[in-house]
């Protein structure tokens, strides 16, 4: 993997180590020593005050990997081995929240977002002082202004009024990354995720420079299920083609070696999405509806439900590829548990609404599990899926893929409507969607919406980096011979 920062390396290393201990049946016996091993005496902590702080951070970062968060700690003396035991004995019990903030790790960002730089000229006008509603501006002996952080409320009026632009705004990375203002500091100065606002786009996950934000993992629920003899079926997302530097048959072979009974590609479900969505689009446009948006991105669905309810009439009612693939897998294996594997945080929320999907694993988690289980991709027994999907179904993994699949499926009929894509749910694009919902007008009649820039291949929980993933995906798509275009010839 092309790790883009050390936070990702730490997450990978922690889960891989836990899985390795689980494999050796040593998890409950040796997990308490793990923080000490990771931050031994006389080591130099990275970005922390001392090894004891570093050890505390490591301890609590293990919580979400075991399926817990900070609220599960009622007694600080409870050992990690006790939480590990509970994780291994847990049966189909999931936490309500999808994401969590590790408060021990969330302690180094600025508490106040504004600071006076040495560009301050100590001017007579003192606009910053005159406009501050909390009397938080003080002055040094040389006349330069400074901000009393105990009084400041980060309203930004001093920043706006300074004629020299000497007062700078210092963002908190996770807050700045969130497009819907779902994350903010609580009364203790620790970031808190408001899940009534959160759309699970995952932008905060990798924006935090201290790695304080985690998904609540289901890795050990899946691993324990396999160990106990439960039949597990893996349904990997189309973007798996761009994740691992080997053949897809080798990757599926690794899933089989891990213990999955079968692999059903979500691309097969994407073909059902295409046929249903194409029919729905034609029907809606014939009825006079001005436009219709896609429905396969769960983060976009969360955005509509929580922030743009006026868009609901324009959203397709067609199920996502995961929805249809899970039902294909259930029909083939009625007694099995279904595990979706993808790059998406929001799929964890969609799975809560889908009775056919039991667990979610991410590509990032899969890479750690492969390493922890010592599964070498180049040495696995290749496995081929039973059903081969068309190229366009695998293309769902990238921006424009859904739109392209619909057009390819409809052939000449696709020329009757215009289509656009909204790739990346940032503040600007959310504003455009909000305007379309309010006015009932859009630049296209069919709108593909994806939360991640570049599509699912750039998801927050992907294993490969976005550029490398897209390159590898396109190389794999070229190899796919079956296509909707063949049916129109």
């Amino acid at each position: 993997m092309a790790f883009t920062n050390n936070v990702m390396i730490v997450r990978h290393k922690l889960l891989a180590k836990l899985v390795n201990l689980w494999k050796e049946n040593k998890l409950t016996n040796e997990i308490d020593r793990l923080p000490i091993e990771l931050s031994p005496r006389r080591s130099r902590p990275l970005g922390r005050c001392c090894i004891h702080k570093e050890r505390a951070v490591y301890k609590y970062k293990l919580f979400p990997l075991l399926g817990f968060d900070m609220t599960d700690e009622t007694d600080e003396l409870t050992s990690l081995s006790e939480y590990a035991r509970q994780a291994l004995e847990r049966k189909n019990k999931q936490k309500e929240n999808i994401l969590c903030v590790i408060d021990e790790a969330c302690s180094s960002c600025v508490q106040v977002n504004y600071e006076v730089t040495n560009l301050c000229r100590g001017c007579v006008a003192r606009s910053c002082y005159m406009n501050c509603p909390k009397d938080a501006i003080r002055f040094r002996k040389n006349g330069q202004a400074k901000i009393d952080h105990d009084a400041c409320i980060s309203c930004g009026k001093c920043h706006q009024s300074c004629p020299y632009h000497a007062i700078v705004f210092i963002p908190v990375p996770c807050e700045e990354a969130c497009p819907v203002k779902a994350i903010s500091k609580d009364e203790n100065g620790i970031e808190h995720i408001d899940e009534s606002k959160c759309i699970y786009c995952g932008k905060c996950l990798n924006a935090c420079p201290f790695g304080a934000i985690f998904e609540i993992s289901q890795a050990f629920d899946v691993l324990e299920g396999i160990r106990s003899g439960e039949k597990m079926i893996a349904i990997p997302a189309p973007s798996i083609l761009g994740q691992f530097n080997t053949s897809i048959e080798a990757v599926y072979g690794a899933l089989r070696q891990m213990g999955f009974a079968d692999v059903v590609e979500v691309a097969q479900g994407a073909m059902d999405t295409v046929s249903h969505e194409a029919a729905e689009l034609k029907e809606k446009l014939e009825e006079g509806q001005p436009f219709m948006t896609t429905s396969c991105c769960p983060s976009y669905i969360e955005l509509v439900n929580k922030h743009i309810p006026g868009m609901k009439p324009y959203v397709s009612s067609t199920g996502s590829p995961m929805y249809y693939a899970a039902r294909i897998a259930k029909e083939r294996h009625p007694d099995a548990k279904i595990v979706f594997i993808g790059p998406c945080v929001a799929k964890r929320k969609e799975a809560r609404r889908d009775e056919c999907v039991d667990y979610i694993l991410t590509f990032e988690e899969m890479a750690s599990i492969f390493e922890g289980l010592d599964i070498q991709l180049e040495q696995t027994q290749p496995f081929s899926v039973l059903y081969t999907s068309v190229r366009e179904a695998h293309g769902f993994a990238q921006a424009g893929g859904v739109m392209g699949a619909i057009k390819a499926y409809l052939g000449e009929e696709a020329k009757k409507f215009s289509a656009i894509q909204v790739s990346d749910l940032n503040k600007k694009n959310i504003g455009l969607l909000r305007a379309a919902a309010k006015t009932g007008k859009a630049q296209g009649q069919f709108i593909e919406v994806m939360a991640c820039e570049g599509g699912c291949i750039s998801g927050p929980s992907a294993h490969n980096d976005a550029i490398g993933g897209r390159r590898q995906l396109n190389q794999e798509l070229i190899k796919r011979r079956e296509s909707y275009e063949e049916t129109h010839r």
Side-chain angles (χ1 to χ4, degrees), residues 111-114 152-157:
Q111 297 298 306
V112 172
N113 294 99
Y114 294 91
C152 180
I153 58 172
S154 291
C155 67
K157 290 184 178 179

Side-chain angles (χ1 to χ4, degrees), residues 336-376:
K337 294 286 183 68
I338 308 301
V339 182
F340 173 84
I341 305 173
C344 181
V345 175
K347 282 296 181 185
R348 296 187 188 275
K349 190 65 175 180
E350 182 185 347
R352 302 285 177 89
R353 301 188 294 266
D354 192 333
E355 68 277 5
C356 289
V357 181
D358 298 283
Y359 299 112
I360 301 290
L361 288 179
T362 66
F363 293 140
E364 184 181 63
E365 289 173 329
M366 284 308 309
S368 299
I369 291 171
F370 287 159
E371 181 175 321
L373 296 178
D374 195 27
I375 294 176
Q376 306 295 324

